[in-house]
Amino acid sequence: MIEVRNQDTLLEVRGLHTYFYTYEGVVKAVNSVSYRLNRGEITGLVGESGSGKSVTAQSIIRLVKAPGRIVEGEVWLDGQDLMSCSEAEMQTVRGRKISMIFQEPRAALNPLFTVGDQISRVIQLREGCSRSVAERHAVEMMRAVEIADPDRRASAYPHELSGGMCQRVMVAMALSANPLLLIADEPTTGLDVTVQAQVLDLIRLRVKSAGSACLFITHDLGVVAELCERVIVMYAGRVVEQGPVAEIFSNPRHPYTQGLIASTLRVDIDKPISTIPGTVPDAVHLPSGCTFHPRCPFAEELCQQEEPQMVEAGRDHTTRCHIVSGRIEREMLEEAWTLETA
Amino acid sequence: MEFPTQGPMMTKANGEAFVQIRNLRKDFPIRVGMFSHVRLRAVDDVSFDIPKGSTLGLVGESGCGKTTAGRCLLRLIEPTSGEIRMGEHNLTDLRSEQVAQMRGRMQMVFQDPGGSLTPRMTIGAILREPLDLHTNLNAHEKDQRVRQLLSQVGLQEDHLSRYPHQFSGGQQQRIGVARAIATHPDFIVLDEPTSALDVSVRGQILRLLTQLQEEMGLTYLFISHDLSVIKHTCNQVAVMYLGRIVEIGSTEEIFGSPTHPYTQALLSAVPIPDPTQRGKERLKLPGEVPSPIDLPPGCRLYSRCPYRRDACLEPGPPLLQVGGSHKAACILVDENIHFGGGNTAAALSRLDQAHDRV
């Protein structure tokens, strides 16, 4: 395991399974997921609601809520096996080695403390320094994330700040621990585009300058194209395709990735509105074989019967599809996604 | 189908303004302290026309007043002043009972598909309700109409006895659309109808809306913060910032040659799903939208605009003609300077040159 580790690899997830044992049945939210994150790189994790992207992140920091449970899998962070850590050891991993930015900054911040207090507490915990030193450091962090007038804003409560400002505070808090790994779960969903651009710039700058790795969870392919070096595409709990950003966008091999790219509307070019037919499957009763087959325009009998394995689709590019692996001989035509014009 | 006030609405010729908004204004009093109030002008002097059968997109960031404007149009909230005309009717003159009678002709589709459907009513009951309120159909005819609606929006008949939570977000929005078209309306306000939906489902709803518009000759006001959705669904676009329309024109004009600095910044901030486009030069606005309370009379973008000058602080600016139906509320339009595609440095140097000449 450790021998095969690439020097640049910071996080390696292997065969991760996280299931939710619900009243209706077992939900395989994360099903045999494996990937690596490299230092200094931002990796985008894309998928629609219910694809398991957030649960993957929660599994890494071992904060899956009941009835969810990590059933199987290994998570290695910088040579440390997180799955065999004690809860006390995990406490030091969270916050010091891994920080997380959540989608709703207001819900993630404590409404009863000023934002300066909340940032300085993180610094105090990490550095073991005095409160006054931590407070000074907190103001510096707020300045670093481009909060205007940080001295005054440090004594503001979350409700006194706008959504974009709260998200900057979250970024400041997450980065003040100088983490090896930053996990950002839809950090710009709900922010206005002009503010989103600012927050993305900030994350990019801080990750690059600190040489840490970032797992950026989003449903917006535009954000991935602008920010990330690598992409992981998830569908119904499984990774269906992963590879370098340029490769995935110019040569997507999995039909789901193709459909996702085709149905993303763009402001810069005119094209007809494409859609993927059908809806995301019910998590308890997943389709047999390839979980995407009921919505796939290229599906054949084999796709219903047998689940495809992950295969090479290019340099550093893997996907899970019978057509790519050559089990089914068929051409995937781009026209399949542009059935009608708007 | 009979309506209480049958006008010559349906015979209107295409191209003529069907919905006309003039100087619409909406103030909200905000309490500060025990007894005093300040004024929040959510919608400020908004005017536009929507021709029959076409779509106007109202775009802007959160708090710009686009939803408030949409609700004022239907008189779901009372405008402070201004005029709203729909076909032959001046909605602002009508008493609230008369507006209630008009509701069958003007409908709304809401952003949160789950939250806008009553959880304890079956789909059948939800779709029958507007028919009970606005038509004189008998029970059998209503039943038929409900079934017809289901097939129009792509749902099956066995869905009738189910409850909203048994549907996916996309299906719930289809139900929302079916409810809106139940009474054969002329005008529908679509308030972020696809924002809560996944990418793959969003296209299905947009297509459904376009198809229904063609079949039923519907006129839409499409409210969204998502420029890519607006671009693909609207004939005309109005860009709002802090309660005012800062730019209005045809979709080609707005996306092809955005003129107001705010529109340029908004467009250049949208991430492009193509890694080869990375690193293109952008017009970035510093800071965030300021508080809309007690705003100064000048240009609303002043605090964030890279091209600002002292003249921008004077009251106004009005919407100035750029070309065709294209108008922008920026004094620089008058100086006849066209900023090229969001290229800040180049535009600024052109601006400086122009200024030196003056």
Side-chain angles (χ1 to χ4, degrees):
Chain A
M1 173 90 254
I2 295 165
E3 309 80 81
V4 297
R5 250 183 62 218
N6 185 313
Q7 221 198 333
D8 287 335
T9 304
L10 176 74
L11 180 90
E12 174 149 13
V13 175
R14 285 205 153 197
L16 186 70
H17 292 75
T18 304
Y19 296 172
F20 284 76
Y21 296 88
T22 67
Y23 185 68
E24 286 97 56
V26 179
V27 175
K28 298 179 176 175
V30 175
N31 195 351
S32 186
V33 164
S34 304
Y35 56 85
R36 288 177 188 184
L37 301 185
N38 296 332
R39 279 174 223 273
E41 277 187 2
I42 303 175
T43 303
L45 183 58
V46 282
E48 297 179 283
S49 46
S51 60
K53 20 184 226 305
S54 292
V55 180
T56 306
Q58 289 161 10
S59 303
I60 294 172
I61 52 171
R62 283 179 43 196
L63 282 179
V64 180
K65 284 194 193 110
R69 198 152 57 80
I70 300 169
V71 179
E72 203 188 317
E74 294 173 65
V75 178
W76 291 80
L77 177 77
D78 200 25
Q80 187 182 11
D81 177 7
L82 298 188
M83 287 301 137
S84 60
C85 281
S86 67
E87 187 49 39
E89 285 171 316
M90 267 321 279
Q91 284 286 11
T92 65
V93 170
R94 293 181 205 127
R96 284 193 204 185
K97 291 186 174 172
I98 304 177
S99 293
M100 195 147 174
I101 303 174
F102 297 93
Q103 179 173 350
E104 279 176 57
R106 278 223 185 80
L109 290 168
N110 188 329
L112 298 177
F113 292 93
T114 64
V115 293
D117 260 352
Q118 298 185 51
I119 302 173
S120 57
R121 198 144 309 178
V122 175
I123 296 168
Q124 243 181 310
L125 274 174
R126 186 200 52 176
E127 305 274 343
C129 61
S130 73
R131 196 169 160 180
S132 61
V133 172
E135 272 168 7
R136 241 174 295 139
H137 196 139
V139 172
E140 281 319 302
M141 281 312 294
M142 289 174 71
R143 202 186 306 279
V145 296
E146 293 162 27
I147 292 177
D149 200 0
D151 294 293
R152 197 171 54 85
R153 288 272 164 65
S155 54
Y157 289 89
H159 74 268
E160 297 175 292
L161 302 176
S162 67
M165 208 55 93
C166 283
Q167 198 54 285
R168 275 167 218 261
V169 169
M170 283 295 296
V171 175
M173 202 190 291
L175 295 171
S176 65
N178 248 331
L180 293 169
L181 172 65
L182 177 69
I183 301 174
D185 190 356
E186 307 243 10
T188 57
T189 308
L191 298 186
D192 288 323
V193 277
T194 56
V195 179
Q196 165 173 286
Q198 297 166 4
V199 173
L200 294 183
D201 276 350
L202 203 62
I203 290 177
R204 180 191 297 124
L205 198 74
R206 302 296 298 181
V207 169
K208 299 290 168 195
S209 65
S212 42
C214 176
L215 183 66
F216 194 98
I217 301 172
T218 180
H219 64 272
D220 187 340
L221 285 179
V223 171
V224 173
E226 301 247 332
L227 186 73
C228 304
E229 274 83 31
R230 291 182 57 81
V231 205
I232 301 166
V233 183
M234 284 187 77
Y235 185 76
R238 288 205 179 263
V239 172
V240 293
E241 185 158 14
Q242 57 175 314
V245 160
E247 171 90 6
I248 298 284
F249 277 84
S250 63
N251 187 22
R253 300 299 301 279
H254 196 282
Y256 178 64
T257 317
Q258 293 173 1
L260 216 50
I261 293 173
S263 54
T264 301
L265 300 174
R266 295 176 61 159
V267 289
D268 58 334
I269 47 173
D270 277 307
K271 60 168 195 176
I273 299 175
S274 310
T275 68
I276 301 176
T279 50
V280 178
D282 178 0
V284 182
H285 310 284
L286 288 178
S288 62
C290 173
T291 45
F292 188 60
H293 87 255
R295 306 177 72 188
C296 182
F298 315 114
E300 293 192 5
E301 220 180 319
L302 182 68
C303 304
Q304 293 177 36
Q305 293 159 354
E306 201 180 307
E307 167 135 40
Q309 297 300 308
M310 214 53 170
V311 290
E312 289 285 322
R315 204 177 63 79
D316 200 17
H317 179 180
T318 52
T319 187
R320 205 184 270 281
C321 177
H322 286 311
I323 300 175
V324 179
S325 71
R327 294 282 306 277
I328 294 175
E329 270 187 50
R330 185 169 178 164
E331 245 185 299
M332 290 195 267
L333 298 168
E334 217 177 302
E335 293 86 79
W337 300 107
T338 50
L339 303 162
E340 291 164 52
T341 50
Chain B
M1 175 146 314
E2 268 181 60
F3 288 108
T5 48
Q6 193 77 286
M9 202 172 292
M10 300 305 287
T11 56
K12 275 245 155 184
N14 269 8
E16 223 174 299
F18 177 66
V19 175
Q20 287 184 323
I21 308 301
R22 290 291 172 271
N23 312 99
L24 188 71
R25 185 163 286 166
K26 176 65 189 176
D27 293 340
F28 290 109
I30 302 286
R31 236 174 98 155
V32 283
M34 191 82 89
F35 303 108
S36 50
H37 293 266
V38 289
R39 190 184 61 193
L40 187 156
R41 182 152 286 173
V43 178
D44 189 4
D45 203 12
V46 162
S47 304
F48 55 78
D49 292 343
I50 317 177
K52 179 135 192 80
S54 82
T55 307
L56 179 111
L58 204 51
V59 68
E61 297 182 291
S62 48
C64 73
K66 53 190 193 301
T67 296
T68 306
R71 291 182 180 217
C72 281
L73 248 66
L74 299 184
R75 280 191 62 186
L76 290 171
I77 49 179
E78 290 300 320
T80 307
S81 64
E83 196 179 281
I84 303 159
R85 296 190 73 88
M86 197 179 86
E88 300 298 305
H89 300 272
N90 186 339
L91 292 184
T92 29
D93 287 347
L94 299 180
R95 289 192 314 272
S96 54
E97 314 89 78
Q98 292 172 306
V99 174
Q101 291 185 329
M102 290 281 292
R103 291 253 177 265
R105 294 182 170 187
M106 43 185 205
Q107 285 287 316
M108 188 151 179
V109 174
F110 299 90
Q111 173 168 9
D112 177 6
S116 59
L117 301 173
T118 312
R120 304 190 64 159
M121 277 164 83
T122 62
I123 303 315
I126 287 173
L127 295 181
R128 207 164 291 122
E129 200 172 33
L131 301 176
D132 290 339
L133 286 169
H134 296 293
T135 67
N136 306 324
L137 300 177
N138 65 34
H140 177 68
E141 287 168 330
K142 279 179 195 164
D143 231 40
Q144 269 189 324
R145 177 75 185 130
V146 167
R147 278 167 213 282
Q148 186 196 353
L149 283 170
L150 278 184
S151 78
Q152 264 184 299
V153 299
L155 293 171
Q156 278 93 50
E157 280 196 16
D158 59 314
H159 287 150
L160 275 179
S161 54
R162 294 203 204 162
Y163 289 90
H165 74 268
Q166 294 171 294
F167 294 90
S168 69
Q171 288 173 318
Q172 286 175 345
Q173 198 57 293
R174 284 173 196 268
I175 297 161
V177 171
R179 178 176 60 183
I181 61 167
T183 53
H184 290 290
D186 303 303
F187 178 53
I188 302 182
V189 173
L190 307 162
D191 189 3
E192 306 259 13
T194 58
S195 304
L197 304 178
D198 276 319
V199 190
S200 70
V201 181
R202 187 177 62 190
Q204 298 173 5
I205 297 294
L206 292 179
R207 253 195 219 160
L208 173 68
L209 290 169
T210 319
Q211 191 192 328
L212 290 172
Q213 180 170 43
E214 281 164 16
E215 284 170 17
M216 305 174 65
L218 294 166
T219 306
Y220 288 150
L221 177 74
F222 198 116
I223 299 172
S224 180
H225 69 279
D226 189 334
L227 286 154
S228 59
V229 171
I230 291 280
K231 181 183 163 83
H232 286 84
T233 46
C234 301
N235 309 91
Q236 281 177 281
V237 182
V239 183
M240 281 185 82
Y241 185 72
L242 279 174
R244 285 190 190 158
I245 289 181
V246 295
E247 188 161 2
I248 187 165
S250 72
T251 306
E252 297 77 47
E253 287 164 341
I254 298 290
F255 285 87
S257 52
T259 301
H260 196 282
Y262 179 66
T263 315
Q264 293 182 358
L266 205 57
L267 265 172
S268 78
V270 178
I272 306 291
D274 179 358
T276 60
Q277 301 270 310
R278 204 187 274 192
K280 64 165 182 155
E281 211 171 330
R282 299 196 139 151
L283 175 62
K284 282 183 185 157
L285 292 183
E288 290 178 45
V289 183
S291 156
I293 295 168
D294 283 331
L295 285 164
C299 177
R300 297 289 158 91
L301 193 65
Y302 183 81
S303 61
R304 302 173 77 192
C305 184
Y307 312 112
R308 66 179 175 195
R309 51 203 46 213
D310 293 343
C312 300
L313 288 170
E314 281 158 34
L319 280 164
L320 300 165
Q321 188 90 22
V322 180
S325 62
H326 189 181
K327 291 177 189 165
C330 178
I331 57 165
L332 298 178
V333 172
D334 236 9
E335 299 186 18
N336 203 14
I337 295 156
H338 192 265
F339 326 97
N343 186 335
T344 321
L348 272 177
S349 76
R350 275 205 302 281
L351 210 71
D352 288 339
Q353 284 163 14
H355 221 58
D356 289 344
R357 285 200 296 275
V358 178

